[in-house]
């Protein structure tokens, strides 16, 4: 979903790695067999139903508008707990980590680590956290209607920095190749929703779809990405999970810090001149 050049390669690769990283060949083939046997080898993409709890329902919960305050970190405490997700999930530990200045600056969000470091200083980022949840059955589960969940949560020193970061990410996700804006109920003070259909699930012929929901509440910016089979998925699943994050920020849900992964802080980032405008 990149905008151009290096970002296109980095961003597309990031999404593909989320789906493929660490998946076993046996799990993929088992899911394909189940899919073909249950449907007698027919293409039933128009009629197949998602069996995941809450699937098919429009996402209308959460608070649109409301408080726009500075909240205290760490960012990790706003990420949903595994028990808050629909269905059975496991944590992809190798791709779950607290952000530091180096990982943030070198992420898919930026064309270079130097550019990322400049934005980190400009936005006064304090803390970040990435977590990936794997569905029961991995790709085999995806072929049956389950999906991967990737959550990124960023905490800024003030609301102004969070607003600037949201504007940048919204532009990035909107302009990425193949991105289609989605219509949803708003969440928080600012929100956006995006879809990309790209590739297939494992070695099957089922189209793979990515949905991302981005929102800002006060000095927090969060993004939820779901990866699943195109017949099953809508933006509503990503928004449902974003509601959990927003409820934690608002204090409507308990916001506990996960363990044992620590969250380093972004200390001593001195202000610098604004970076070049995003193309």
């Amino acid at each position: 979903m990149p905008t151009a050049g290096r970002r296109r390669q980095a961003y597309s690769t990031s999404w593909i790695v989320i789906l493929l990283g660490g998946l076993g060949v046996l799990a993929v083939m088992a899911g394909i067999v189940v899919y073909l046997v249950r449907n007698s080898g027919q293409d039933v993409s128009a009629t197949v139903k998602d069996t995941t709890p809450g699937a098919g329902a429009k996402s209308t919960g959460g608070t649109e508008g409301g408080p726009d305050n500075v909240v205290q970190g760490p960012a990790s405490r706003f990420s949903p707990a595994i028990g808050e997700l629909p269905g059975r999930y496991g944590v992809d530990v190798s791709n779950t980590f607290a952000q530091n200045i180096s990982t943030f600056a070198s992420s898919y969000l930026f064309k270079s680590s130097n550019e990322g470091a400049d934005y980190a200083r400009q936005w006064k980022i304090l803390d970040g956290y990435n977590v990936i949840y794997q569905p029961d059955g991995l790709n085999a589960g995806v072929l049956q209607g389950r999906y991967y969940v990737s959550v990124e949560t960023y905490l800024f020193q003030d609301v102004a920095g969070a607003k600037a970061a949201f504007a940048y990410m919204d532009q990035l996700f909107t302009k990425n190749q193949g991105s289609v804006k989605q219509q949803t109920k708003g969440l928080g003070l600012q929100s956006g929703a995006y879809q990309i259909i790209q590739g297939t699930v494992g070695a099957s012929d089922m189209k793979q779809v990515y949905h991302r929901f981005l929102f800002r509440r006060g000095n927090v910016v969060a993004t939820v990405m779901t990866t699943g089979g195109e017949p099953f998925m809508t933006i509503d699943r990503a928004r449902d999970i974003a509601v959990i994050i927003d409820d934690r920020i608002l204090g409507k849900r308990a916001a506990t810090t996960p363990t044992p992964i620590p969250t380093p802080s972004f200390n001593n980032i001195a202000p610098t001149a604004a970076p070049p405008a995003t193309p």
Side-chain angles (χ1 to χ4, degrees), residues 115-137:
E115 180 188 73
D118 284 341
Y119 276 115
R121 295 184 185 98
Q122 180 187 353
W123 299 337
K124 302 175 186 177
I125 189 166
L126 298 176
D127 193 15
Y129 190 72
N130 290 42
V131 56
I132 294 176
Y133 300 102
Q134 299 173 322
D136 183 38

Side-chain angles (χ1 to χ4, degrees), residues 57-206:
K58 293 293 292 183
S59 179
T60 58
T63 304
E64 185 174 7
D68 197 16
N69 305 324
V70 171
V71 296
Q72 300 301 309
S76 58
R77 74 188 187 96
F78 303 122
S79 292
I82 198 167
E84 294 176 297
L85 301 178
R88 293 189 297 177
Y89 278 88
V91 175
D92 181 355
V93 176
S94 62
N95 287 301
T96 295
F97 53 91
Q99 287 272 19
N100 57 36
I101 187 64
S102 176
T103 57
F104 178 77
S106 60
S107 75
Y108 71 90
L109 293 170
F110 311 109
K111 290 182 288 188
S112 70
S113 58
N114 287 338
E115 180 188 73
D118 284 341
Y119 276 115
R121 295 184 185 98
Q122 180 187 353
W123 299 337
K124 302 175 186 177
I125 189 166
L126 298 176
D127 193 15
Y129 190 72
N130 290 42
V131 56
I132 294 176
Y133 300 102
Q134 299 173 322
D136 183 38
L138 302 180
N139 262 11
V142 171
L143 289 170
Q144 298 175 50
R146 294 185 282 276
Y147 47 92
Y148 289 83
V149 177
S150 174
V151 177
E152 301 166 27
T153 313
Y154 300 104
L155 183 74
F156 300 87
Q157 181 175 309
D158 52 38
V159 171
K163 285 182 176 179
F166 175 90
Y168 174 94
M169 293 182 196
D170 178 54
Q171 183 181 48
L172 173 67
F173 300 148
T174 299
K175 288 188 173 182
N176 276 311
Q177 186 177 29
S179 177
V180 178
K181 276 264 195 177
Q182 303 292 287
Q183 296 299 315
T184 66
K185 181 183 177 182
L187 185 68
L189 280 299
Q190 295 174 279
S191 60
Y194 326 84
Q195 172 187 281
I196 285 180
I197 298 175
Q198 182 183 77
T200 62
V201 179
S204 77
D205 60 357
M206 183 182 287

